[in-house]
Amino acid sequence: MTDFDPANFANVGPKEFAQLVKSTPDDKIAEVMSGDSRGKILSEVFGRMPSLFRPEKAGATNAVIHWNITGRPDGGTDTYEVVIDNGTCTVNEGATRDPKLSLTMGPVEFLKIVSGGANPVMMFMTGKLKAKGDLGLAANIANLFNIPKA
């Protein structure tokens, strides 16, 4: 698969997805993420998070993390809530609990982070990623998940 086609995402593993994001120009990702496929892509990515969670790295971490992805076609933001609690990870669409950490970024930056193609700390320092709350958790978040490298 060489085209950034959301219809194929369910059929590829994390490593193939990471390669797809890496090989697709930012403007093409932005175009796809501002269209009808955005919800399907976000649901697919967040749906995989619990299976990529590494409880052995989380230790006693209990946290509610809000992922806010800007750039929705209507100008809004999609929010997903990731709950890490007693060695488990669950994901909800929308926000229902007060977060320990809130991350805000654009759709291109989000896909680069979750596919291992970007350094979240550098994105924070350059203003492409905004973090509010527990910055120690923000700096460690990548270690909590088995993020594939392309």
Side-chain angles (χ1 to χ4, degrees), residues 13-129:
K15 190 163 184 71
E16 293 83 3
F17 179 76
Q19 184 59 49
L20 189 60
V21 172
K22 183 179 180 181
S23 66
T24 303
D26 289 0
D27 58 339
K28 175 65 174 167
I29 293 174
E31 179 187 323
V32 170
M33 290 298 286
S34 66
D36 295 340
S37 301
R38 176 187 171 100
K40 180 177 173 57
I41 294 168
L42 292 176
S43 292
E44 189 66 37
V45 170
F46 280 103
R48 292 180 182 190
M49 275 192 175
S51 67
L52 298 173
F53 179 65
R54 300 163 70 183
E56 73 281 0
K57 296 286 187 182
T61 300
N62 289 316
V64 175
I65 304 164
H66 288 175
W67 290 78
N68 304 299
I69 296 94
T70 62
R72 216 168 48 195
D74 65 3
T77 298
D78 288 300
T79 299
Y80 285 78
E81 185 173 79
V82 174
V83 180
I84 298 170
D85 188 24
N86 294 319
T88 63
C89 173
T90 56
V91 177
N92 307 304
E93 189 170 349
T96 60
R97 297 165 61 176
D98 287 335
K100 184 173 187 174
L101 172 64
S102 186
L103 301 169
T104 303
M105 69 214 75
V108 173
E109 292 76 20
F110 169 72
L111 289 178
K112 287 185 178 247
I113 287 173
V114 299
S115 65
N119 179 331
V121 174
M122 286 304 297
M123 291 178 96
F124 174 74
M125 292 174 71
T126 58
K128 292 180 179 177
L129 171 113

